[in-house]
Amino acid sequence: MKVLNNLIKQEWKLKIPVFILTVFLSLIFYTNLASQAVYVINPQCGSAFENINGAGDATCAQIGDDGEVSPSLGFNFVYFNTIVTSITIGNNGAIVMASGQQVSLSNSCPPTTNNMVMPWWDDMDDAPGFGNVCYATRGIAPNRRFIAQWSDICNYPASTTNPTITFQVVFYETTNVINFVYLDAIFGGSYASDDGGGGATVAIRGPVTDPGVYMYSCNTNSVTNGQCISFAPPAPSDCAITCPQNIVVNNDPGTCEANVSVPVPTLSECLPSTTVLNDFNNSSNASGIYPIGTTEVEWTAQEPQSAPLTCTMTVTVNNTQDIELNCPDDIELTLNPGDCVAYPLWETPVAFSCNGFGAPPATVSTINVANNGNSPGGMVMFNLTNNFTSDMTIVGMSANITNGTQIAIYRKNGTYVGSETNAGAWTLVYTADATAGPFSGPYPGNGTLTPFVTNFTIPPGTSGIALHTISASSNYTNGTGANQFFSDGNLDITLGYAANALFAGGFTPRVWNGSVTYGTLEFNTEATLITSLGSGEPFPVGTTPVTYTATDSEGNTATCTFNVTVHNYPNPTNTLACNDEVTITVDEECNADINADMILEGGPYSCYDDYRVEIFTSMPANTWGATGNVDNPVGLGSYWVGIYDKTGNNCWGHITVVDKLPPCYGVS
């Protein structure tokens, strides 16, 4: 670059015409790093220095070594196709095109720090007592200008004897031109080697989304007193984008979504190479499957060398799906010989509703003001405590990250504490796509939280969570105790830990900046039985109705009923046959309950409960219709037992009730 600058100074001595010189310099000084925006550098823009130091409409202050101030521009300024409304002015002769940033003290050739405007990027300082940084917005819309001025600043360290320089940057509304204007660019004396930017970078560089570099000089004595260097984008385009009309459709039958055909936007007066993308599926075609509810779709038209244009439409899918609950078909069963009940089996009916069942999604947020950060590929850890009695589904998160990345999400049972470096204790449960933005930017970031979809469950109780930002850094906050716990009663977030690499030794306490969205809302759920008998329970002979119900999250209720019919064993024998002698042992109460199935033999018989049991101390003379003289159950002893069917048919047997259990005390 030094050779090129020497060549240019020689060309100036030859008095090359300004037009040719401007084109030539644009080619010489343009260092393209895959830039989408194109700036033209004019080293002799001709604008005079507009001194604002001490002016009534200016804000001036000594901001100290490596100090910064973050003013608002007062208008929208398009920088590398990105709208900027506020900036960070650093004492080191440079501006970051976002608020709340840091301006480093070390320049580089070419500059490697994104999103910077560098009229004199070097390690600079206010001259004690009189050096300062001023800024002001002047003019009337749409032709306002923002001026940032460094007055009487010197090389670090500051001294009252150090020679100083004065220069300014002017941002122009509407044209989006940037001018560097130098009132005094010469130190002289022992600092003569730094004259004209001999130790500084004079350039602009785009944001992370378009890191193009346009450099006038770097560490060369190229800037002169009174010089104006402009960086001008192409003239504003007449390109316009018009979204399709909002779309309203009904859900597809039996589903909670609709397959929607979405027209493309209309472009007018745009270059043929203009690209159009939507944020629904990040493509040029927004057609696809849309959920019930209203989805906002933003279209972005990007014409080369121009700021992006956007328009917004909505796709609304109406819920016309009633809650559904379908019971099994009626069940009929026939008993086996001697059985009195049946045990039917069926699957529990499942209800379906697009309103869902359970709790709707809710979000617990931490904070978004970072004062620390880790390296790309680092990790953050924290605990999530599920206070439900069932599993909780984590359906989304957001995080304070520097740029787009895939995020690997790990979980472990119990707290993360003690397992920070033990990779074997963790299970990868989900990999999230966090590339859509927006992003907070490099440390400390601007507080923007990048949302991303997740789908994993945590059981009741505490789970350790680890987020691995594979190609980005996390911006987070040092823990103070008071800022380490967040909860809505259902979900607790307890923070936290950070490291610069995967499961590496790190730092604590650190407070992850982000949010967690959870829900137990499901489109399908098992219905609730509201009658007395369920699957696998004893059903008597006859018809028994079985009813289920379900209520969705909107209070809509559905019920269904089916019948279980149990038939007695058909054609049982009418001839009864009894065992002549049966020995029966008593139970723990020293009693024996005498049933028909103990006495009868042969068969097949009907339900044993349909037979009458009569017990006598001796065989009655007349057995027809005899009524026993011993209550059932019986104690130890010898008895005659008669078994009667419904017609009066009967048979008789003798039983001996004995004690084969440990002794029964208190019984004679």
Side-chain angles (χ1 to χ4, degrees), residues 398-486:
S398 67
N400 188 339
I401 55 177
T402 57
N403 54 270
T405 181
Q406 301 293 309
I407 300 180
I409 304 175
Y410 295 84
R411 191 192 76 83
K412 69 174 294 292
N413 291 325
T415 179
Y416 73 87
V417 178
S419 299
E420 293 90 339
T421 61
N422 180 12
W426 298 84
T427 300
L428 178 66
V429 293
Y430 196 80
T431 300
D433 184 348
T435 59
F439 307 108
S440 183
Y443 164 82
N446 60 19
T448 297
L449 297 180
T450 302
F452 49 92
V453 174
T454 64
N455 185 15
F456 65 95
T457 60
I458 58 174
T462 297
S463 294
I465 300 295
L467 305 183
H468 177 211
T469 48
I470 295 172
S471 58
S473 299
S474 292
N475 298 319
Y476 47 78
T477 310
N478 293 337
T480 63
N483 65 352
Q484 292 175 230
F485 180 79
F486 303 86

Side-chain angles (χ1 to χ4, degrees), residues 495-527:
L495 305 120
Y497 176 86
N500 287 324
L502 186 65
F503 296 114
F507 316 97
T508 189
R510 296 294 183 265
V511 178
W512 170 70
N513 288 189
S515 66
V516 179
T517 300
Y518 66 91
T520 58
L521 202 65
E522 301 288 344
F523 291 141
N524 299 283
T525 189
E526 289 190 346

Side-chain angles (χ1 to χ4, degrees), residues 236-483:
S237 169
D238 292 326
C239 178
I241 181 173
T242 302
C243 271
Q245 291 185 343
N246 296 335
I247 298 174
V248 179
V249 297
N250 293 333
N251 61 297
D252 294 338
T255 72
C256 300
E257 57 196 20
N259 191 348
V260 182
S261 177
V262 180
V264 297
T266 301
L267 298 180
S268 61
E269 300 188 46
C270 301
L271 294 175
S273 56
T274 300
T275 59
V276 177
L277 296 175
N278 71 84
D279 65 353
F280 175 69
N281 56 21
N282 294 314
S283 76
S284 59
N285 184 359
S287 299
I289 304 298
Y290 283 78
I292 281 177
T294 298
T295 301
E296 185 175 273
V297 180
E298 182 179 80
W299 292 91
T300 300
Q302 180 64 70
E303 188 179 44
Q305 307 177 17
S306 298
L309 302 173
T310 62
C311 67
T312 302
M313 62 174 293
T314 59
V315 176
T316 300
V317 179
N318 292 326
N319 180 9
T320 62
Q321 181 72 41
D322 292 332
I323 181 173
E324 290 185 358
L325 177 60
N326 297 313
C327 276
D329 293 335
D330 290 344
I331 298 174
E332 290 200 31
L333 298 171
T334 299
L335 295 176
N336 293 321
D339 287 348
C340 300
V341 295
Y343 296 86
L345 298 174
W346 64 84
E347 295 291 333
T348 300
V350 174
F352 168 77
S353 172
C354 291
N355 294 319
F357 303 90
T363 299
V364 179
S365 300
T366 64
I367 54 181
N368 68 337
V369 180
N371 60 17
N372 210 331
N374 60 9
S375 300
M379 297 194 83
V380 292
M381 295 183 184
F382 48 89
N383 287 334
L384 294 181
T385 300
N386 172 10
N387 295 315
F388 288 145
T389 57
S390 58
D391 287 354
M392 175 185 287
T393 301
I394 307 302
V395 297
M397 302 178 79
S398 67
N400 188 339
I401 55 177
T402 57
N403 54 270
T405 181
Q406 301 293 309
I407 300 180
I409 304 175
Y410 295 84
R411 191 192 76 83
K412 69 174 294 292
N413 291 325
T415 179
Y416 73 87
V417 178
S419 299
E420 293 90 339
T421 61
N422 180 12
W426 298 84
T427 300
L428 178 66
V429 293
Y430 196 80
T431 300
D433 184 348
T435 59
F439 307 108
S440 183
Y443 164 82
N446 60 19
T448 297
L449 297 180
T450 302
F452 49 92
V453 174
T454 64
N455 185 15
F456 65 95
T457 60
I458 58 174
T462 297
S463 294
I465 300 295
L467 305 183
H468 177 211
T469 48
I470 295 172
S471 58
S473 299
S474 292
N475 298 319
Y476 47 78
T477 310
N478 293 337
T480 63
N483 65 352

